[in-house]
Coordinates of all heavy atoms in Angstrom, one line a residue:
L244 N -25.9 -89.5 -28.9 CA -26.5 -88.1 -28.7 C -25.5 -87.0 -29.1 O -25.9 -86.0 -29.5 CB -27.0 -88.0 -27.3 CG -28.3 -88.8 -27.0 CD1 -28.5 -88.8 -25.5 CD2 -29.5 -88.2 -27.8
D251 N -33.9 -90.2 -31.0 CA -34.9 -90.7 -30.0 C -34.5 -92.1 -29.5 O -34.7 -92.4 -28.4 CB -36.3 -90.8 -30.7 CG -36.9 -89.4 -31.0 OD1 -36.5 -88.4 -30.4 OD2 -37.7 -89.3 -31.9
A253 N -31.6 -93.2 -28.9 CA -30.6 -93.1 -27.8 C -31.3 -92.7 -26.5 O -30.9 -93.2 -25.5 CB -29.5 -92.0 -28.2
R254 N -32.3 -91.8 -26.6 CA -33.1 -91.5 -25.4 C -33.8 -92.7 -24.9 O -33.9 -92.9 -23.7 CB -34.0 -90.3 -25.7 CG -33.4 -89.1 -26.1 CD -32.8 -88.3 -25.0 NE -32.3 -87.1 -25.4 CZ -31.3 -86.4 -24.8 NH1 -30.8 -86.9 -23.7 NH2 -30.9 -85.3 -25.3
I255 N -34.3 -93.5 -25.8 CA -35.0 -94.7 -25.3 C -34.0 -95.7 -24.6 O -34.4 -96.3 -23.6 CB -35.7 -95.4 -26.5 CG1 -36.9 -94.6 -27.0 CG2 -36.1 -96.8 -26.2 CD1 -37.4 -95.0 -28.3
V256 N -32.8 -95.8 -25.1 CA -31.8 -96.6 -24.5 C -31.5 -96.0 -23.1 O -31.4 -96.8 -22.1 CB -30.5 -96.7 -25.3 CG1 -29.4 -97.4 -24.6 CG2 -30.8 -97.5 -26.6
E257 N -31.4 -94.7 -23.0 CA -31.2 -94.1 -21.7 C -32.3 -94.5 -20.7 O -32.1 -94.7 -19.6 CB -31.1 -92.6 -21.8 CG -29.8 -92.1 -22.4 CD -29.7 -90.6 -22.4 OE1 -30.8 -89.9 -22.5 OE2 -28.6 -90.0 -22.3
G258 N -33.5 -94.4 -21.3 CA -34.7 -94.8 -20.5 C -34.7 -96.2 -20.0 O -35.0 -96.6 -18.9
G259 N -34.2 -97.1 -20.9 CA -34.1 -98.5 -20.6 C -33.0 -98.7 -19.5 O -33.2 -99.6 -18.6
I260 N -32.0 -98.0 -19.5 CA -31.0 -98.1 -18.5 C -31.6 -97.6 -17.2 O -31.4 -98.3 -16.1 CB -29.7 -97.2 -18.8 CG1 -29.0 -97.8 -20.1 CG2 -28.8 -97.1 -17.7 CD1 -28.0 -96.8 -20.7
A261 N -32.3 -96.5 -17.2 CA -32.9 -96.0 -16.0 C -33.9 -97.0 -15.4 O -33.9 -97.2 -14.2 CB -33.6 -94.6 -16.3
A262 N -34.7 -97.6 -16.3 CA -35.6 -98.6 -15.8 C -34.9 -99.8 -15.2 O -35.4 -100.4 -14.2 CB -36.5 -99.1 -17.0
T266 N -34.4 -96.3 -11.5 CA -34.5 -94.9 -11.3 C -35.7 -94.3 -12.1 O -36.1 -94.9 -13.0 CB -33.2 -94.2 -11.7 OG1 -32.9 -94.5 -13.1 CG2 -32.0 -94.6 -10.8
R267 N -36.1 -93.1 -11.7 CA -37.2 -92.5 -12.4 C -36.7 -91.3 -13.2 O -36.0 -90.4 -12.7 CB -38.2 -92.0 -11.4 CG -38.9 -93.0 -10.6 CD -40.1 -93.5 -11.4 NE -40.7 -94.5 -10.6 CZ -41.7 -95.2 -11.1 NH1 -42.1 -95.0 -12.3 NH2 -42.3 -96.1 -10.4
R268 N -37.0 -91.3 -14.5 CA -36.7 -90.2 -15.4 C -37.9 -89.8 -16.1 O -38.4 -90.6 -17.0 CB -35.5 -90.5 -16.3 CG -34.3 -90.8 -15.5 CD -33.0 -90.8 -16.3 NE -32.9 -89.6 -17.2 CZ -31.8 -89.3 -17.9 NH1 -30.8 -90.1 -17.8 NH2 -31.8 -88.3 -18.6
G269 N -38.5 -88.7 -15.8 CA -39.8 -88.3 -16.2 C -40.2 -88.7 -17.7 O -41.2 -89.3 -17.9
D270 N -39.4 -88.3 -18.6 CA -39.7 -88.5 -20.0 C -39.4 -89.9 -20.5 O -39.7 -90.1 -21.7 CB -39.1 -87.4 -20.9 CG -37.6 -87.4 -20.8 OD1 -37.0 -87.9 -19.8 OD2 -36.9 -86.9 -21.8
H271 N -38.8 -90.7 -19.7 CA -38.4 -92.0 -20.2 C -39.3 -93.2 -19.6 O -39.2 -94.3 -20.0 CB -37.0 -92.3 -19.8 CG -36.0 -91.4 -20.5 ND1 -35.9 -91.2 -21.8 CD2 -35.1 -90.5 -19.9 CE1 -35.0 -90.3 -22.0 NE2 -34.5 -89.9 -20.9
R272 N -40.0 -92.9 -18.5 CA -40.7 -94.0 -17.8 C -41.5 -94.9 -18.6 O -41.2 -96.1 -18.6 CB -41.5 -93.4 -16.7 CG -40.7 -93.1 -15.4 CD -41.5 -92.6 -14.3 NE -41.4 -91.2 -14.4 CZ -42.3 -90.3 -14.0 NH1 -43.4 -90.7 -13.5 NH2 -42.1 -89.0 -14.1
G273 N -42.5 -94.5 -19.3 CA -43.3 -95.4 -20.1 C -42.6 -96.1 -21.2 O -42.8 -97.3 -21.4
V274 N -41.8 -95.4 -21.9 CA -41.0 -96.0 -23.0 C -40.0 -97.0 -22.5 O -39.9 -98.1 -23.0 CB -40.3 -94.9 -23.9 CG1 -39.5 -95.5 -24.9 CG2 -41.4 -93.9 -24.5
A275 N -39.3 -96.6 -21.4 CA -38.3 -97.5 -20.9 C -38.9 -98.8 -20.5 O -38.3 -99.9 -20.7 CB -37.6 -96.9 -19.7
A276 N -40.1 -98.8 -19.9 CA -40.7 -100.1 -19.4 C -41.0 -100.9 -20.6 O -40.8 -102.2 -20.6 CB -42.0 -99.7 -18.7
R277 N -41.5 -100.4 -21.7 CA -41.8 -101.1 -22.9 C -40.5 -101.7 -23.5 O -40.4 -102.8 -24.0 CB -42.5 -100.3 -23.9 CG -44.0 -100.0 -23.5 CD -44.8 -99.5 -24.6 NE -44.4 -98.2 -25.1 CZ -44.6 -97.0 -24.5 NH1 -45.4 -97.0 -23.4 NH2 -44.2 -95.9 -25.0
V278 N -39.4 -100.9 -23.6 CA -38.1 -101.4 -24.1 C -37.6 -102.5 -23.3 O -37.2 -103.5 -23.9 CB -37.1 -100.2 -24.2 CG1 -35.7 -100.8 -24.5 CG2 -37.5 -99.2 -25.2

Side-chain angles (χ1 to χ4, degrees):
L244 289 168
D251 292 337
R254 297 284 182 203
I255 291 169
V256 170
E257 286 183 330
I260 294 165
T266 57
R267 297 269 181 190
R268 296 197 49 175
D270 59 337
H271 300 300
R272 275 182 264 151
V274 174
R277 289 191 298 277
V278 168

